[in-house]
Amino acid sequence: MGIVRKSLRTWRNFIRYLNRKVRYLGWLIHFVATVAVAFVCFALSSVFLIDVTTVDGESMEPTLSPDDRLLTLQLGRFFSELLGAEYVPKRGEIIVFGKDGDNENLIIKRVVGLPEERVVIKNQTITIYNDEYPEGFEPDFNFGGELAALSGAALDVYVKRGELFVLGDNLAVSADSRTNGNVLVEHVNGNLIIRTWPFSKFKLF
């Protein structure tokens, strides 16, 4: 009986030893995995997915005001390039881009015309013509600025492949595709997702 008890005690001690090792190993694996995931997420966000932009000027009022702090997302471009597809922002999205590729002075506008479309501005009306709507249609998003600002000379623009026609919501003061021409898609840094500041105007777009 003494031999049996001694054998059982030795076995129990061995099991306890294994449990401690497994528990410590499991904790270590969990810790390392958590740190690794956090590092990867931070690296992806800071390198090419999320950027912080501050509004300078009144061209997007009342949607965006001077000194608003924004988060812009580059995920669409990232996955398009990853899959070998052409990146094109959606109509109505607010995008951030660098004029002539200059990323030091970013510009914020709203996408109105997409590649291979015709944009006509006449009699305070914006009309889009494409293969799906050869008779034309009016964009279904509202501009904050008065459409009366479009009462000048008629404008008829064809948006080539790889280009975008953009407008500022404050049509009366915005310098956009009406005067500066179309924006190259390759110059788009990302699209607006969140206004983080001021806190009273926090908004998801």
Side-chain angles (χ1 to χ4, degrees):
M1 292 295 293
I3 296 176
V4 173
R5 289 196 186 97
K6 187 176 180 180
S7 298
L8 289 175
R9 187 163 52 248
T10 302
W11 176 253
R12 284 196 298 269
N13 291 337
F14 177 69
I15 294 300
R16 292 193 186 101
Y17 172 79
L18 287 180
N19 286 337
R20 285 197 300 271
K21 288 295 185 181
V22 170
R23 184 167 62 250
Y24 294 147
L25 182 60
W27 180 87
L28 180 61
I29 292 174
H30 177 75
F31 175 77
V32 172
T34 301
V35 172
V37 170
F39 176 78
V40 170
C41 290
F42 174 78
L44 290 176
S45 298
S46 61
V47 173
F48 54 78
L49 292 184
I50 297 177
D51 200 6
V52 179
T53 303
T54 301
V55 178
D56 180 17
E58 303 173 346
S59 69
M60 288 299 294
E61 286 191 325
T63 309
L64 301 173
S65 301
D67 298 324
D68 281 1
R69 188 66 61 86
L70 315 173
L71 290 184
T72 58
L73 184 68
Q74 302 178 36
L75 197 61
R77 172 180 293 282
F78 170 69
F79 279 113
S80 294
E81 293 177 352
L82 186 66
L83 298 174
E86 185 177 11
Y87 168 65
V88 179
K90 296 179 181 178
R91 191 190 321 279
E93 281 187 337
I94 297 175
I95 60 171
V96 176
F97 59 93
K99 184 178 181 181
D100 298 327
D102 177 14
N103 292 328
E104 295 299 321
N105 299 295
L106 297 177
I107 303 170
I108 304 174
K109 301 295 177 187
R110 188 184 296 276
V111 176
V112 175
L114 300 179
E116 301 182 306
E117 291 186 336
R118 178 180 164 218
V119 180
V120 176
I121 299 178
K122 185 178 181 181
N123 298 327
Q124 302 179 23
T125 301
I126 303 172
T127 307
I128 307 293
Y129 298 88
N130 55 28
D131 291 340
E132 185 177 1
Y133 297 97
E135 301 301 320
F137 71 96
E138 296 179 25
D140 59 359
F141 48 85
N142 296 319
F143 285 94
E146 294 292 333
L147 289 177
L150 301 177
S151 59
L155 184 68
D156 191 334
V157 177
Y158 179 73
V159 186
K160 299 178 182 178
R161 184 169 183 176
E163 295 182 344
L164 299 168
F165 185 93
V166 300
L167 292 174
D169 285 4
N170 191 352
L171 295 168
V173 302
S174 176
D176 43 45
S177 290
R178 291 173 294 172
T179 54
N180 298 334
N182 297 332
V183 174
L184 294 179
V185 174
E186 65 186 48
H187 292 166
V188 177
N189 284 40
N191 61 286
L192 173 61
I193 54 171
I194 302 175
R195 173 168 50 204
T196 60
W197 180 265
F199 290 134
S200 60
K201 297 170 64 178
F202 180 89
K203 181 179 180 181
L204 298 176
F205 289 83

